[in-house]
Structures are given as structure tokens and as C-alpha cells.
Amino acid sequence: MRHMIFGESHGPVIGVTLSGVPAGLALDTAALQRQLDRRAPGKDPTATARKESDVAHVVSGLFEGKTTGAPLTILIQNSDQHSGDYDALRYTPRPSHGDYPGFVASKGCQDHRGGGHFSGRLTAPLVAAGAVARQLLAQRGVCVAAHIAIIDGEYDAHFDTQPALEAASQKAFPVLDDAAGEKMRALILDAKENGDSVGGAVECAVFGLPAGLGAPDFGQNTEGIFAQHLFAIPAVKAVEFGTGTSFAYTRGSEANDPLTLQDGKVTAATNNAGGINGGITNGMPLVFTTTFRPTPSISLPQKTVDLRTGAEVDLVIKGRHDPCIVPRAVPVVEAAAALATCELLGI
């Protein structure tokens, strides 16, 4: 199953087309909408002031409630655009955003309003595609869930069971430890008040995968398949599996996952490897952490270049932006993981 996301932040619609969706899936459109609602900013002051209903309209590939096997297309209307906020940015690219490389790649023809096709607004159709993938995975007993792992140096608790992580992922502010969550919220609001932004990370797990999926080879490696999906999410700058970069500070005796038998089945006593050895799933939960950079669009004055004159100029960005995208990114990471898992399973 493949997906193609289309549209721009301030265009009339955004959407996604999925090809290779198996015929006969009784698509639960209410469940699909619930995933989109999780990504929407709502009334939380830690999120952008832009309000979009994000109602999913399935316009092809569905007949009498079941997928037909033809391309499945989902449209989402854009309605709350303030395009005038971006007039000054057409030739003065925002630092650390996709503006400048997008200008070069498109030969100056890109839609600069709201970031165009580079915008986090395009994660809405990604979540819609992931919602379809999740329903296909559920038929195989596979579940995806995530939580906020860290924001601006404040850590959430580590998950220890699948039910705990699933419950946390459904919260309005998806953390395991609500006290840690309140500290995170305070850090976000402090950055917002000062015209700044903060970054963070999302920890995600895929439960129910059997051992033996994937291969060590290029294009078939489990980590590689997931990384390709995850790095397509705007603002993702790092992905690590299991203990990840902390392996650099440990010895083999600490890092290895001892094998054991449980109810006649080979399993591991720990899961530092994140459920993957040699590019192949080992039957443990597939666990990874995705790191997001602070939102580049901040209210503080910044330095940039006027692409018409070549002069260095000061830039003050207007518009509505998330001071931290991490809370709303939780269902986005889950969606990307669900799509990656479908690829891994050959769906």
C-alpha cells in the first residue's frame, strides 16, 4: 500500500491518495475522524490559534462502506487561512524552514503561503492515511501507540505495558505522568510568551509484530523502512530505535537483551534493541523515538536574506504557529508508524 499526500497549507484542499488498499475493508470513517480530531489544535493555548474542522471526505475507492481496491482518496477542506500574514515572506525565507530550499527547487514558483506543501498542515492527510492503515493492522492484531517522551528537557515516564501506553496516547496532552505533562505545558507557554518555541520527542511502540519480518538488506531493513516514513514528517530531525544513542555510553553486558523462554516461546528479558536485530523484527515490541526540532516560525527578530536584492535583512514573522508541535505530533508519528508497519507486512 502506497500513499501520496497533496495540497498546500493555504490551498482549497489537502488530501491523500492510497493505492493498493485491499478490497473489502469495512472502513470505519468515525474512527478515521477521531484520529484527525486528535491532531487538531482544539482550544489548548499550547497550540496554534488556527482552527480547522478537518472533516475527512472519502471521495474514491469506497462503495457501500467497503474499500473497492481502487485508489482511496481522502480530501480535507482548508477554511481558516490568513494568507496575508505571509506576503512579506515570499522573498525573505524564514531561517531553518523549507522556504529557501523550496524556492530554489521550484525555481521561485513555490506557494509560500503558510509554508505551502512544506507546512505541518499536511500532516492532517498523513493522519488520515495512517487511520486506514491502523484498521488494516487491527485485523492482524497489531497496535500502534505513542506518547510525548520529552519537551525542552522535561521527561515523561517510560512506558512499561501496552495498556498504559495506549491510555496515555488518547489523552488531550498525551503523557504517562500527568505531573511531568504539566511541567512540559509550562515550558511551552513560557516559550510562547517570549515569542520563542521548544522542541521535544515522541516515543512510539508497535505491538503484535511477529519475529522474522524485514531483512538486513537495503530497502528491506526494518529500521530503514520506518525511518523513511518518519523523516517525511515535517520538523523530524532524528530517529532512534530502542536505547538508540545511549548505546554509545554503555557496554555490551548492559546493552544486550538476554533471551529466555516464556510459555514455550523465545523472548527477550529486556528490549534495548527496540524489537529489531539485524534489520529483522525479533518479536518484542518495536520501539523508537522521533525527535522534533523547535518550530522555526518564532516571533523574535531573526536574520535572513532578501532573495531579490541579496541584502541581509531583519525578519519578524507574523501568523499563527505552534510554540511546540510535539503534543499534536503524537498521532502523526503513530500514523507514519502504521504505514511503515503495513509496508513491512507487505500490505
Side-chain angles (χ1 to χ4, degrees):
M1 186 173 70
R2 298 290 179 180
H3 69 281
M4 182 184 72
I5 292 171
F6 55 85
E8 291 79 34
S9 178
H10 287 211
V13 298
I14 52 177
V16 63
T17 295
L18 295 102
S19 59
V21 179
L25 171 68
L27 187 64
D28 186 341
T29 54
L32 189 157
Q33 187 60 54
R34 284 195 295 273
Q35 293 300 323
L36 282 168
D37 292 342
R38 290 176 62 208
R39 193 208 72 94
K43 299 179 180 179
D44 197 311
T46 61
T48 176
R50 180 172 177 173
K51 305 300 179 187
E52 295 282 1
S53 58
D54 283 355
V55 176
H57 302 278
V58 182
V59 297
S60 71
L62 191 69
F63 183 67
E64 295 181 343
K66 293 185 177 180
T67 55
T68 65
L72 183 77
T73 299
I74 303 169
L75 298 181
I76 301 168
Q77 300 287 330
N78 283 332
S79 60
D80 187 23
Q81 307 102 311
H82 291 182
S83 299
D85 291 342
Y86 297 89
D87 289 345
L89 301 177
R90 184 163 194 159
Y91 299 107
T92 51
R94 293 167 292 180
S96 296
H97 206 286
D99 294 356
Y100 174 66
F103 181 92
V104 175
S106 70
K107 299 179 173 59
C109 298
Q110 87 286 4
D111 184 345
H112 66 284
R113 303 168 302 167
H117 192 67
F118 294 91
S119 172
R121 176 83 185 121
L122 275 296
T123 59
L126 175 59
V127 169
V132 177
R134 293 167 81 108
Q135 293 183 38
L136 291 167
L137 294 176
Q139 295 178 338
R140 302 193 180 202
V142 176
C143 170
V144 181
H147 72 116
I148 301 170
I150 179 174
I151 287 178
D152 195 23
E154 183 65 40
Y155 286 81
D156 190 20
H158 291 289
F159 81 92
D160 53 3
T161 66
Q162 178 178 343
L165 186 58
E166 287 189 72
S169 72
Q170 297 303 313
K171 294 179 181 178
F173 197 87
V175 290
L176 293 153
D177 182 349
D178 291 332
E182 286 305 309
K183 293 178 182 178
M184 293 176 183
R185 286 172 56 84
L187 290 167
I188 296 171
L189 292 173
D190 179 71
K192 179 180 180 181
E193 184 178 345
N194 289 281
D196 216 333
S197 63
V198 293
V202 173
E203 183 183 39
C204 184
V206 183
F207 301 97
L209 289 177
L213 299 174
D217 308 295
F218 178 81
Q220 303 173 63
N221 182 284
T222 299
E223 290 103 330
I225 290 171
F226 271 76
Q228 188 163 10
H229 283 267
L230 294 164
F231 278 117
I233 301 172
V236 168
K237 300 303 289 184
V239 175
E240 54 183 330
F241 295 86
T243 300
T245 56
S246 294
F247 278 127
Y249 308 100
T250 60
R251 296 190 174 190
S253 56
E254 302 168 298
N256 289 350
D257 298 312
L259 295 178
T260 182
L261 279 176
Q262 186 173 348
D263 299 325
K265 179 182 177 182
V266 176
T267 187
T270 55
N271 193 23
N272 292 314
I276 307 167
N277 295 118
I280 303 172
T281 57
N282 62 22
M284 296 292 284
L286 195 161
V287 182
F288 62 89
T289 302
T290 304
T291 300
F292 290 82
R293 60 160 299 126
T295 315
S297 293
I298 59 177
S299 300
L300 297 172
Q302 300 181 80
K303 294 289 185 181
T304 188
V305 173
D306 189 319
L307 300 178
R308 295 164 296 185
T309 66
E312 294 183 0
V313 296
D314 292 324
L315 176 68
V316 177
I317 299 171
K318 299 180 181 179
R320 300 162 297 172
H321 310 283
D322 291 272
C324 180
I325 63 174
V326 176
R328 296 175 61 207
V330 169
V332 181
V333 170
E334 291 176 1
L339 290 161
T341 304
C342 282
E343 182 175 343
L344 187 65
L345 287 166
I347 298 176

